[in-house]
Amino acid sequence: QKRAGHERLKRCKDLYQAKALIEALVETDPDLLRDTTEDAMAQGLKGWKQPMMRSLEELNFDMSNIS
């Protein structure tokens, strides 16, 4: 999540959509979810890793649960 705090409504919508997509991929294609997440995290701490980790934490989602 790379949005500023003042865009709260948009951020909430984005997180809700991300949660729905993650939940769907956990069920249908966990390998794709794991691979794309690892790729995005590899883009660097300030690239995508830090924003993704913050968003996953807000969603109470633990990527270690992906088989």
Side-chain angles (χ1 to χ4, degrees):
Q1 213 22 292
K2 288 188 162 188
R3 301 201 179 280
H6 68 278
E7 296 178 312
R8 195 175 305 242
L9 185 60
K10 174 80 168 131
R11 179 175 171 72
C12 184
K13 179 195 70 82
D14 290 348
L15 284 170
Y16 179 78
Q17 289 176 332
K19 182 178 181 182
L21 180 58
I22 290 168
E23 289 172 347
L25 287 172
V26 165
E27 295 296 320
T28 61
D29 199 345
D31 292 331
L32 176 64
L33 177 60
R34 184 180 52 252
D35 292 346
T36 55
T37 301
E38 288 173 359
D39 182 56
M41 295 272 192
Q43 301 303 314
L45 185 61
K46 295 194 180 199
W48 282 108
K49 186 173 185 174
Q50 195 172 46
M52 285 180 62
M53 290 172 59
R54 185 174 51 243
S55 295
L56 290 170
E57 185 176 311
E58 286 184 52
L59 295 171
N60 294 317
F61 189 80
D62 182 5
M63 286 301 294
S64 66
N65 294 332
I66 306 302
S67 54

